[in-house]
Amino acid sequence: MSTARLVRISGALAEAEPLADAALYELVRVGERGLLGEVVRISGDRGTVQIFEETTGLRVGERLAATGNALTVELGPGLLGSVLDGIGRPLQRVADATGDFIAPGTSAPTLDAGRRWAFTPVIASGAPVRGGDVLGTVTERPGFVHRVMVPPRVTGQVAAIAAGEYTVWQPFGRLEDGTGLTLAQSWPVRQPRPVASHLALHQPLVTGQRVFDLLFPVAEGGSVAVPGGFGTGKTVIEQSLAKYAAADIIVYVGCGERGNEMAEVLEEFPRLVDQRTGRSVMDRTVLLVNTSNMPVAAREASVYVGVTIAEYYRDMGYRVALMADSLSRWAEALREIGARLQEMPGEEGYPTYLGNRLGKFYERAGHVRACGAPERDGALTVISAISPPGGDFSEPVTQASLRVVGALWALDPELAHQRQFPAVDWETSYSLYADATAPWFSERAGGDWLQLRRAMLELLQRDRELREIATLVGSEALQDGDRLLLEVARVVRDTVLGQSAYDPNDALSSIEKTWLLATLCRELLAAGQRALDGGTAFDQLDLAVPRRLLADLRRAADSELAAGAAAVRAALAGVAR
């Protein structure tokens, strides 16, 4: 290809010609500093490039060189525990090379090319292999086995394979056609990784948050939208799920969020201990950081880098949860790039293909059977925060997400101001996975899980109606049965739906604890109703003691649940004073 030169620069976009030989989404190096970008439009001899780095100082006339590759991410041992930027560069190694501020044009491979890993093969020479087959294993982190797989679409017969210590790109074997076998592989981030088949969703992703597990569960392989206005706790929820959700791998994408929030994540996560394994949370986590002051084009790419890493671990047969915080900032990047490309705007200035892009992203979630042998199933669950301006759920990003996700966790600013966490609006929220996951919950927590969920939702719905009436006539004017329901509903909101993100005994709630608290609240309502039916007036009911004991039980460790439940039930016998 002849040498191309820049003829126009507009923020993160630049135009160069002649660029007719370049491919769409091909990576290029721009200018004297070698800024990384990709071709997003070709018109005649002129190509348009979105640049992933700061373009200040770039001049018309500087040269542009095509690389012949699309934006790819390196996949292999060493990803867990890493902190990457929006295009997959490890921030620590970049900081070691250039200082705390990333110098434009800086290159750094995602994986540490010099680190050696002990590889153990699970197949022998002469074995036929195809894409997805497991060749061997590496212990990536304590207690975590990294399965080294044949890259997709590669087939052949193993000519040589040997155990030993290797760097990620050093061949540990080869196929008969000469193809080298390495611990790492690369994959274009905008292209979903292939799977053998998609499987039904039936097992829940246990979040440790009672309001989600009981009322609005998400299946492993499902997708969730978490919209909420400023201050409703979206980031805290995403971080709580990253800490406590029952996933093997967490990929957390900070997409366009404030730098202080990501700094808190980077400071807190290494200190946290996974209560299920006793090891650091970072042992199962990959963090992608693209804060609001970073280049907008890299923000658009960051979610694709994150979901590609998540698919890689899913293909090993692991349960992966992807946290995207937030897709609204990602959509804003699309809008800014679209405006600079002079594309026809859609609703609220977003590009007309916003719904299509969101749909393709969410469709990369799923419960799948991976390609290759041995047979293994993996799941990728996508949980995305959305920041609708003014908390208006009718805006395009929220509405486009709701067309394709399986669950909605809508956050209510009024509940957030009342210090309810998670501030979930149970009237607006929904889950399409409740019936499919109920048998799993029933088998492990309580056989009446689905009935208990319906009872809690009915109670909360009736509570909302009665509170509206009480604001007009006063609660004293209500019948005793309605006053009892209001009191029990308050207990449900405080002890079942409410949690502390900072109390170690309450931040993570087992499904047994969730079931027990909801069951005891239902028994409290039944005990009060029996007392009323027996002629006791509402003002004579003793609800303070069971309410206090339930609050104590909420903060109790799992080992104390049986004793706490016995104390609550003993108090229920004395509800009628």
Side-chain angles (χ1 to χ4, degrees):
M1 184 174 68
S2 57
T3 301
R5 294 185 179 273
L6 298 179
V7 296
R8 180 175 176 268
I9 304 168
S10 177
L13 290 183
E15 294 182 358
E17 58 182 27
L19 206 59
D21 295 336
L24 197 61
Y25 292 117
E26 181 177 352
L27 282 185
V28 295
R29 287 288 179 178
V30 181
E32 297 172 359
R33 293 172 293 174
L35 307 182
L36 190 66
E38 67 179 355
V39 179
V40 294
R41 174 188 288 173
I42 300 173
S43 178
D45 287 341
R46 178 170 295 194
T48 304
V49 176
Q50 68 173 2
I51 302 173
F52 296 125
E53 304 183 68
E54 178 59 52
T55 57
T56 300
L58 196 63
R59 302 187 307 273
V60 169
E62 292 192 52
R63 295 185 179 185
L64 180 148
T67 66
N69 300 311
L71 177 62
T72 61
V73 62
E74 294 180 347
L75 304 169
L79 281 173
L80 292 184
S82 60
V83 181
L84 312 175
D85 73 353
I87 53 176
R89 294 177 298 190
L91 291 179
Q92 185 58 57
R93 289 208 298 277
V94 170
D96 292 342
T98 68
D100 291 341
F101 296 93
I102 301 176
T106 300
S107 296
T110 302
L111 301 175
D112 185 349
R115 182 173 177 180
R116 306 186 75 84
W117 302 87
F119 170 73
T120 303
V122 296
I123 63 171
S125 298
V129 293
R130 55 191 174 89
D133 283 354
V134 176
L135 296 169
T137 60
V138 165
T139 301
E140 182 172 1
R141 288 270 171 161
F144 182 84
V145 175
H146 185 112
R147 299 183 177 100
V148 179
M149 300 173 289
V150 179
R153 304 191 181 97
V154 172
T155 59
Q157 191 165 347
V158 177
I161 189 169
E165 291 193 351
Y166 301 92
T167 62
V168 289
W169 294 112
Q170 179 183 0
F172 57 78
R174 59 180 174 80
L175 301 180
E176 287 189 341
D177 63 2
T179 301
L181 300 174
T182 59
L183 301 180
Q185 55 183 268
S186 297
W187 188 259
V189 299
R190 299 183 187 277
Q191 180 179 340
R193 287 176 62 90
V195 299
S197 62
H198 287 268
L199 307 175
L201 307 182
H202 60 85
Q203 181 168 325
L205 173 67
V206 178
T207 65
Q209 309 297 304
R210 289 186 288 271
V211 65
F212 301 140
D213 291 339
L214 178 61
L215 300 185
F216 310 110
V218 55
E220 289 182 352
S223 55
V224 187
V226 191
F230 178 78
T232 53
K234 298 182 299 298
T235 298
V236 178
I237 287 174
E238 293 264 300
Q239 293 176 11
S240 295
L241 296 177
K243 298 172 192 174
Y244 304 121
D248 300 317
I249 303 293
I250 298 291
V251 180
Y252 187 99
V253 183
C255 180
E257 290 301 295
R258 295 183 294 276
N260 62 326
E261 291 181 348
M262 290 308 303
E264 180 181 337
V265 171
L266 295 176
E267 184 176 329
E268 184 179 4
F269 272 39
R271 298 199 306 260
L272 286 172
V273 175
D274 187 343
Q275 297 188 28
R276 295 181 174 85
T277 64
R279 296 188 296 272
S280 169
V281 167
M282 287 302 292
D283 281 350
R284 64 166 188 161
T285 304
V286 181
L287 296 176
L288 280 91
V289 179
N290 188 267
T291 53
S292 54
N293 63 328
M294 289 183 174
V296 67
R299 184 190 309 175
E300 187 269 342
S302 63
V303 296
Y304 295 111
V305 174
V307 75
T308 302
I309 293 173
E311 286 177 333
Y312 176 64
Y313 284 102
R314 175 209 66 191
D315 290 348
M316 293 184 201
Y318 291 116
R319 302 172 299 164
V320 186
L322 172 70
M323 313 294 173
D325 187 14
S326 79
L327 283 190
S328 292
R329 307 288 179 259
W330 173 77
E332 288 170 4
L334 286 181
R335 179 166 60 185
E336 180 174 332
I337 293 169
R340 293 187 185 277
L341 286 170
Q342 300 180 348
E343 295 174 332
M344 179 69 69
E347 188 176 359
E348 295 190 18
Y350 290 106
T352 54
Y353 49 78
L354 172 65
N356 177 268
R357 291 282 183 89
L358 277 170
K360 288 182 176 179
F361 169 69
Y362 282 118
E363 284 174 3
R364 293 177 74 164
H367 179 207
V368 306
R369 179 148 296 159
C371 296
E375 186 176 282
R376 57 199 185 276
D377 298 341
L380 168 54
T381 308
V382 173
I383 302 173
S384 59
I386 300 173
S387 307
D392 180 13
F393 290 177
S394 66
E395 60 88 35
V397 181
T398 304
Q399 289 300 307
S401 296
L402 293 184
R403 295 188 186 103
V404 290
V405 297
L408 167 67
W409 297 342
L411 304 184
D412 185 350
E414 183 176 334
L415 291 174
H417 295 156
Q418 296 171 8
R419 300 297 183 183
Q420 176 88 19
F421 175 83
V424 175
D425 182 352
W426 44 82
E427 284 194 330
T428 306
S429 302
Y430 66 83
S431 173
L432 302 181
Y433 308 116
D435 290 340
T437 57
W440 189 95
F441 282 117
S442 297
E443 181 181 345
R444 290 160 178 80
D448 61 343
W449 183 276
L450 192 58
Q451 294 80 3
L452 188 63
R453 173 181 181 269
R454 290 170 180 165
M456 292 296 105
L457 287 173
E458 290 171 1
L459 176 67
L460 293 168
Q461 177 61 38
R462 182 62 179 153
D463 169 63
R464 179 67 64 90
E465 297 169 357
L466 290 174
R467 278 190 289 147
E468 291 177 356
I469 297 173
T471 57
L472 299 175
V473 301
S475 59
E476 294 78 7
L478 298 176
Q479 296 180 0
D480 283 356
D482 292 338
R483 295 175 66 186
L484 172 66
L485 189 145
L486 284 174
E487 184 65 22
V488 174
R490 184 161 70 91
V491 175
V492 169
R493 293 196 303 273
D494 291 343
T495 62
V496 179
L497 306 187
Q499 279 181 256
S500 170
Y502 305 104
D503 184 339
N505 286 332
D506 196 32
L508 170 62
S509 179
S510 64
I511 58 173
E512 293 82 6
K513 185 176 186 178
T514 298
W515 175 85
L516 182 59
L517 286 171
T519 298
L520 291 174
C521 287
R522 186 170 59 174
E523 292 178 9
L524 174 61
L525 178 61
Q529 190 61 53
R530 283 195 301 271
L532 295 179
D533 294 341
T536 304
F538 174 78
D539 291 332
Q540 296 177 320
L541 297 180
D542 183 9
L543 300 176
V545 174
R547 183 169 62 236
R548 175 178 56 79
L549 291 173
L550 279 166
D552 293 341
L553 187 61
R554 163 188 159 175
R555 295 185 292 271
D558 282 359
S559 59
E560 303 168 346
L561 291 181
V568 172
R569 289 189 168 111
L572 294 181
V575 165
R577 288 182 291 189

PDB file of all heavy atoms in Angstrom, residues 236-247:
ATOM      1  N   VAL A 236     -21.925   0.685  43.217  1.00  0.00           N
ATOM      2  CA  VAL A 236     -21.781  -0.117  44.434  1.00  0.00           C
ATOM      3  C   VAL A 236     -22.343  -1.519  44.207  1.00  0.00           C
ATOM      4  O   VAL A 236     -21.774  -2.523  44.654  1.00  0.00           O
ATOM      5  CB  VAL A 236     -22.483   0.566  45.623  1.00  0.00           C
ATOM      6  CG1 VAL A 236     -22.365  -0.294  46.883  1.00  0.00           C
ATOM      7  CG2 VAL A 236     -21.876   1.934  45.885  1.00  0.00           C
ATOM      8  N   ILE A 237     -23.480  -1.617  43.490  1.00  0.00           N
ATOM      9  CA  ILE A 237     -24.055  -2.928  43.183  1.00  0.00           C
ATOM     10  C   ILE A 237     -23.107  -3.730  42.296  1.00  0.00           C
ATOM     11  O   ILE A 237     -22.840  -4.916  42.548  1.00  0.00           O
ATOM     12  CB  ILE A 237     -25.428  -2.755  42.508  1.00  0.00           C
ATOM     13  CG1 ILE A 237     -26.475  -2.290  43.528  1.00  0.00           C
ATOM     14  CG2 ILE A 237     -25.883  -4.070  41.851  1.00  0.00           C
ATOM     15  CD1 ILE A 237     -27.815  -1.947  42.917  1.00  0.00           C
ATOM     16  N   GLU A 238     -22.577  -3.112  41.257  1.00  0.00           N
ATOM     17  CA  GLU A 238     -21.660  -3.815  40.366  1.00  0.00           C
ATOM     18  C   GLU A 238     -20.424  -4.293  41.130  1.00  0.00           C
ATOM     19  O   GLU A 238     -19.946  -5.425  40.945  1.00  0.00           O
ATOM     20  CB  GLU A 238     -21.242  -2.887  39.216  1.00  0.00           C
ATOM     21  CG  GLU A 238     -22.359  -2.533  38.266  1.00  0.00           C
ATOM     22  CD  GLU A 238     -22.383  -3.415  37.049  1.00  0.00           C
ATOM     23  OE1 GLU A 238     -21.403  -3.432  36.306  1.00  0.00           O
ATOM     24  OE2 GLU A 238     -23.395  -4.092  36.841  1.00  0.00           O
ATOM     25  N   GLN A 239     -19.912  -3.448  42.023  1.00  0.00           N
ATOM     26  CA  GLN A 239     -18.736  -3.843  42.786  1.00  0.00           C
ATOM     27  C   GLN A 239     -19.077  -4.944  43.783  1.00  0.00           C
ATOM     28  O   GLN A 239     -18.277  -5.867  44.001  1.00  0.00           O
ATOM     29  CB  GLN A 239     -18.159  -2.629  43.499  1.00  0.00           C
ATOM     30  CG  GLN A 239     -17.570  -1.594  42.547  1.00  0.00           C
ATOM     31  CD  GLN A 239     -17.075  -0.347  43.246  1.00  0.00           C
ATOM     32  OE1 GLN A 239     -16.972  -0.316  44.467  1.00  0.00           O
ATOM     33  NE2 GLN A 239     -16.765   0.684  42.489  1.00  0.00           N
ATOM     34  N   SER A 240     -20.271  -4.891  44.393  1.00  0.00           N
ATOM     35  CA  SER A 240     -20.686  -5.942  45.328  1.00  0.00           C
ATOM     36  C   SER A 240     -20.819  -7.276  44.606  1.00  0.00           C
ATOM     37  O   SER A 240     -20.420  -8.325  45.130  1.00  0.00           O
ATOM     38  CB  SER A 240     -22.014  -5.561  45.997  1.00  0.00           C
ATOM     39  OG  SER A 240     -21.866  -4.421  46.814  1.00  0.00           O
ATOM     40  N   LEU A 241     -21.369  -7.250  43.390  1.00  0.00           N
ATOM     41  CA  LEU A 241     -21.491  -8.484  42.625  1.00  0.00           C
ATOM     42  C   LEU A 241     -20.117  -9.015  42.232  1.00  0.00           C
ATOM     43  O   LEU A 241     -19.882 -10.226  42.247  1.00  0.00           O
ATOM     44  CB  LEU A 241     -22.349  -8.236  41.376  1.00  0.00           C
ATOM     45  CG  LEU A 241     -23.805  -7.858  41.623  1.00  0.00           C
ATOM     46  CD1 LEU A 241     -24.510  -7.574  40.311  1.00  0.00           C
ATOM     47  CD2 LEU A 241     -24.531  -8.940  42.384  1.00  0.00           C
ATOM     48  N   ALA A 242     -19.218  -8.105  41.861  1.00  0.00           N
ATOM     49  CA  ALA A 242     -17.866  -8.545  41.515  1.00  0.00           C
ATOM     50  C   ALA A 242     -17.181  -9.196  42.711  1.00  0.00           C
ATOM     51  O   ALA A 242     -16.406 -10.143  42.566  1.00  0.00           O
ATOM     52  CB  ALA A 242     -17.040  -7.357  41.016  1.00  0.00           C
ATOM     53  N   LYS A 243     -17.482  -8.716  43.926  1.00  0.00           N
ATOM     54  CA  LYS A 243     -16.858  -9.276  45.124  1.00  0.00           C
ATOM     55  C   LYS A 243     -17.481 -10.605  45.521  1.00  0.00           C
ATOM     56  O   LYS A 243     -16.779 -11.540  45.915  1.00  0.00           O
ATOM     57  CB  LYS A 243     -17.005  -8.293  46.290  1.00  0.00           C
ATOM     58  CG  LYS A 243     -16.330  -6.956  46.112  1.00  0.00           C
ATOM     59  CD  LYS A 243     -16.723  -6.026  47.253  1.00  0.00           C
ATOM     60  CE  LYS A 243     -16.326  -4.595  46.993  1.00  0.00           C
ATOM     61  NZ  LYS A 243     -16.820  -3.681  48.033  1.00  0.00           N
ATOM     62  N   TYR A 244     -18.827 -10.706  45.440  1.00  0.00           N
ATOM     63  CA  TYR A 244     -19.519 -11.791  46.123  1.00  0.00           C
ATOM     64  C   TYR A 244     -20.294 -12.760  45.231  1.00  0.00           C
ATOM     65  O   TYR A 244     -20.736 -13.797  45.708  1.00  0.00           O
ATOM     66  CB  TYR A 244     -20.493 -11.201  47.157  1.00  0.00           C
ATOM     67  CG  TYR A 244     -19.833 -10.283  48.150  1.00  0.00           C
ATOM     68  CD1 TYR A 244     -20.232  -8.957  48.281  1.00  0.00           C
ATOM     69  CD2 TYR A 244     -18.799 -10.732  48.955  1.00  0.00           C
ATOM     70  CE1 TYR A 244     -19.631  -8.108  49.199  1.00  0.00           C
ATOM     71  CE2 TYR A 244     -18.183  -9.888  49.869  1.00  0.00           C
ATOM     72  CZ  TYR A 244     -18.609  -8.581  49.987  1.00  0.00           C
ATOM     73  OH  TYR A 244     -17.994  -7.750  50.885  1.00  0.00           O
ATOM     74  N   ALA A 245     -20.493 -12.449  43.958  1.00  0.00           N
ATOM     75  CA  ALA A 245     -21.271 -13.349  43.108  1.00  0.00           C
ATOM     76  C   ALA A 245     -20.559 -14.685  42.955  1.00  0.00           C
ATOM     77  O   ALA A 245     -19.321 -14.758  42.915  1.00  0.00           O
ATOM     78  CB  ALA A 245     -21.508 -12.718  41.735  1.00  0.00           C
ATOM     79  N   ALA A 246     -21.356 -15.758  42.851  1.00  0.00           N
ATOM     80  CA  ALA A 246     -20.808 -17.122  42.782  1.00  0.00           C
ATOM     81  C   ALA A 246     -20.380 -17.447  41.364  1.00  0.00           C
ATOM     82  O   ALA A 246     -20.887 -18.368  40.725  1.00  0.00           O
ATOM     83  CB  ALA A 246     -21.841 -18.127  43.274  1.00  0.00           C
ATOM     84  N   ALA A 247     -19.418 -16.674  40.865  1.00  0.00           N
ATOM     85  CA  ALA A 247     -18.851 -16.911  39.538  1.00  0.00           C
ATOM     86  C   ALA A 247     -17.395 -17.333  39.704  1.00  0.00           C
ATOM     87  O   ALA A 247     -16.723 -16.941  40.656  1.00  0.00           O
ATOM     88  CB  ALA A 247     -18.945 -15.657  38.677  1.00  0.00           C
TER      89      ALA A 247
END
